[in-house]
Amino acid sequence: MTQAFDHIEAQLRRRHRKTRLLKALSMGALGLAGLFLVLFFTDMLIKGLPAFKQAQIQVEVDYSEQASQLPLAAVSEAVRPLVSRGYLRLIPSRMRDDPALQGTTRSEWVLADGQVDQYLKGHHSKLSDRHRAVVDRLRAEGRVELRFNTRFFTSGDSRMPELAGIASAAMGTVLTLMVTLAVAFPIGVMTAIYLEEFAPDNRITQLVEININNLAAIPSILYGLLGLAIFINFFGVPRSSPLVGGLTLALMTLPVIIISTRTALRSVPDSIRHAGFGVGCSRWQVVRDHVLPLAMPGIMTGAIIGLAQAMGETAPLIIIGMVAFIPDIGGSITEAATVMPAQIFTWAGEPDRAFIEKTSGGILVLLAVLITMNATAVVLRRRFERRW
Amino acid sequence: MSRTFKNRAFKTTVLAAAVISAVGVAQARDQVRIVGSSTVYPFASYVAEEFGAITDYPTPVIESTGSGGGLRLFCNGVGEDTPDISNASRRMKPSEFERCAENGVTDITEAFIGYDGIAFAQSGANPAMEVTREQLFLALAAKVPVEGELVDNPYSRWSEIDASLPDREIAVYGPPTTSGTRDAFEELVMEAASEAMDAYGGEGFTDIRTDGAYIDAGENDNLIVQRLAENTDAFGIFGYSFLEENADTLIGSSIDGVEPTPDAIGSGEYPVSRSLFFYVKNQHTDEVPAMYEYANTFMSEQMIGELGYLKGIGLIPAPEEMREKARQAVADHESIELADLK
């Protein structure tokens, strides 16, 4: 008898040990994933936060006759290399637009050159020792300081790091996603409704189902090739435009929306449908008035997650020409545009080291938007989803 | 009732918007479209930005597709949906010119903008290295001559090639085969060195070893720069502008006794320097009026000259005479012939 108990006890210990091991391993896995996440975020924050500040410098700007021809003449020679060329080159056009400026001398806070900015932030800077001394003196006098970089959010790409911003890419992303949503959402939801509510269960629908699941797993670059072949080469949609980008990403998002919509529809209990039929509703009425509204939170969640995925996509967009230099902020879906991940990709390849912080800054903004989108999806689900 | 009406109104608006935007597609273009080399990209985008800021034309769109990829798009034909200009970090190949001609792109102007050097550099933690093209070839070729026979590259340390070289493992980060930098390196180092060796019978041998000593590091030169900081034993092959930008952490090796300096690259004394170009599709001159405005801005002394803006971001200006000639060729819309490219 005792022997049997010993045996059982040993077995029990073994089983408990296995449980503890599994628990430790899974916690370790979670810890490792968390560690990577923390490392990544810290790295991005350290590198990216300086991007939200930019050096400004207070100089005497002389709006003379000469400056309207030769903008360099507007500031004194001593501080000329410290002022951004992006500011100087606009002086002639500003003088044309505002005749009152003519002949005046004003003390203005203007954008400093990118090298001054990097020097102030303690990064590698190509500023000469002489100019460093000037910057130090001006800083002591309070005439050079780091201020919040609004330009990062209001201007487009630039070759000059002090001018570069994410606005054109953000606008491109918005336009592209609007096209994606307008195309993928109705088609995706309709497809799911048909498959779930109307289609008979036969070989053909099973084939369609397998294909949809398959499409969701295809590498995104293939959608780029498809977009190039169909939308650009066949339909003549302009290259690099949010229209072609949106259509291509719509193809990519479709399976995600279809699958999540089907799941949402399936989770609506049949008793609702039966009740509807019982009081004489047609299938159309049941779907429109009961099943679809009840499934909506799930559908919205799927759509948001699909869009968030599309938003982070670069590979297919390289092929359709959306990874490009776009300083102008566009407003139409047929003009050339770029998107935020593509902008980050472009900055990552710049030789000028001042772009390192721009790259990380761009990543931070993109992450913030993605987290907001995914959080919205979670909130929608929590708030409106009904459990049966 | 009102709900269906709203739905319908919404659908009509969407449809109308789609139709209007489709009509917009058919209009003439005042935005220049540029594709091509990632080496020329920083210079071209600088000019494009300036052009957009100081003229009333929209800023040209520039895609960085690589020289080969750019010329492929460029040669796809004439018309609004094809690029107007293609940047190249090497000359157009005769085969590309022929393909252009087959597709009706028959009137092309070549614009020579200056030079770029290819640096062979390492982490600044090491002493500077002097190397010859022959030594570079022996370190990187797939097959090398040993006692008159061509065999798989046996060298694994630099000191095995020549006693004057450091006793370090051969590890070189370089661009992939799709890159213009790689093309130029193969031509200027591999081909030049092997043509001088008897074992190859005067023929250029450009196959780079694939046994791990040469590490394909992707198109992004910044990645190579970062890797050199981590792996101080390794060398990297990349554009001169990246060496200049990272002069505090990297040192360039002298090749055949010449240091990679702007002067040596511009005069052609530094052996691994290449010319940079862009090609203009003259058949678009009337449809895209901004095209030549942009091209002429690019060729101005203010951009490509000794004191030009592009020098500040790493372009190495050509001697004045050549700049003048190149500028004139663009101003005259001079078209190139197949014979020019051979």
Side-chain angles (χ1 to χ4, degrees), chain A residues 72 85 89-90 93 115 124 126 157-160 163 182 232 236-241 243 288-289 318-328 333-336 345-354, chain B residues 3-4 14 17 21-22 24-25 31 33 35 41-50 52-54 57-65 73 81 220-222 241-242 244-249 309 312-313:
Chain A
L72 285 181
R85 243 177 39 67
R89 73 177 172 202
L90 292 179
S93 63
Q115 296 301 333
H124 169 77
K126 283 186 289 186
D157 195 6
S158 170
R159 278 295 308 161
M160 282 169 257
L163 291 180
I232 297 183
V237 180
R239 198 178 154 84
S240 315
S241 63
L243 183 59
R288 189 194 62 183
D289 295 334
I318 294 179
I319 296 189
I320 54 173
M322 285 191 83
V323 179
F325 179 68
I326 314 277
D328 300 343
I333 54 169
T334 53
E335 273 169 34
F345 178 73
T346 318
W347 282 343
E350 293 280 353
D352 194 329
R353 282 208 259 167
Chain B
R3 195 146 147 224
T4 5
V14 170
S21 54
V25 175
Q31 187 166 35
R33 300 219 49 145
V35 292
Y41 172 81
F43 310 126
S45 49
Y46 194 98
V47 178
E49 186 182 349
E50 194 76 11
I54 58 178
Y57 294 109
T59 311
V61 176
I62 307 178
E63 282 178 56
S64 169
T65 60
L73 288 168
D81 49 350
N220 187 337
D221 284 359
N222 271 331
S241 48
F242 286 84
E244 193 186 35
E245 186 62 33
N246 294 283
D248 59 329
T249 54
Y309 293 130
I313 57 171

Side-chain angles (χ1 to χ4, degrees), chain B residues 9 24 26 36 39 51 54 84 91 109 146 149 151-152 157 171-173 185 190 222 239 245-246 279 287 320 337 339:
Chain B
T39 309
F51 181 73
I54 58 178
D84 309 311
R91 240 180 157 188
T109 291
V146 172
E149 294 271 327
V151 296
D152 287 341
R157 306 188 81 78
V172 178
Y173 294 108
F185 184 82
M190 306 294 286
N222 271 331
E245 186 62 33
N246 294 283
Y279 291 90
E287 286 81 5
E320 194 179 348
E337 308 283 337

Side-chain angles (χ1 to χ4, degrees), chain B residues 70-152:
Chain B
L71 284 167
R72 198 161 59 235
L73 288 168
F74 182 81
C75 291
N76 269 348
V78 176
E80 249 213 80
D81 49 350
T82 60
D84 309 311
I85 291 176
S86 183
N87 300 320
S89 58
R90 56 168 170 79
R91 240 180 157 188
M92 186 186 254
K93 293 175 184 164
S95 59
E96 287 166 339
F97 183 85
E98 279 159 10
R99 195 171 155 261
C100 259
E102 272 167 30
N103 292 330
V105 185
T106 47
D107 193 357
I108 304 168
T109 291
E110 179 181 80
F112 164 61
I113 55 179
Y115 296 102
D116 174 46
I118 294 174
F120 187 72
Q122 56 175 334
S123 156
N126 300 306
M129 182 164 96
E130 288 182 9
V131 70
T132 66
R133 277 188 282 178
E134 192 185 335
Q135 288 163 347
L136 276 179
F137 175 83
L138 291 176
L140 294 174
K143 284 185 183 300
V144 294
V146 172
E147 290 158 5
E149 294 271 327
L150 282 184
V151 296
D152 287 341

Side-chain angles (χ1 to χ4, degrees), chain B residues 274-294:
Chain B
R274 55 174 162 173
S275 309
L276 303 180
F277 302 92
F278 66 86
Y279 291 90
V280 188
K281 201 180 280 176
N282 287 334
Q283 284 139 307
H284 285 186
T285 311
D286 296 333
E287 286 81 5
V288 190
M291 184 177 74
Y292 262 102
E293 298 271 338
Y294 164 84

Side-chain angles (χ1 to χ4, degrees), chain A residues 206-282:
Chain A
Q206 278 169 13
L207 200 71
V208 170
E209 213 177 315
I210 292 172
N211 272 305
I212 290 172
N213 289 335
N214 221 353
L215 277 176
I218 276 184
S220 58
I221 190 112
L222 297 185
Y223 288 104
L225 290 168
L226 192 69
L228 176 69
I230 296 182
F231 300 128
I232 297 183
N233 293 344
F234 188 74
F235 285 111
V237 180
R239 198 178 154 84
S240 315
S241 63
L243 183 59
V244 68
L247 289 171
T248 307
L249 292 179
L251 290 182
M252 213 187 83
T253 321
L254 257 181
V256 181
I257 294 187
I258 295 175
I259 292 169
S260 63
T261 306
R262 291 190 66 182
T263 319
L265 289 173
R266 222 173 292 153
S267 71
V268 176
D270 266 346
S271 52
I272 303 266
R273 295 185 183 83
H274 292 158
F277 294 137
V279 296
C281 292
S282 67

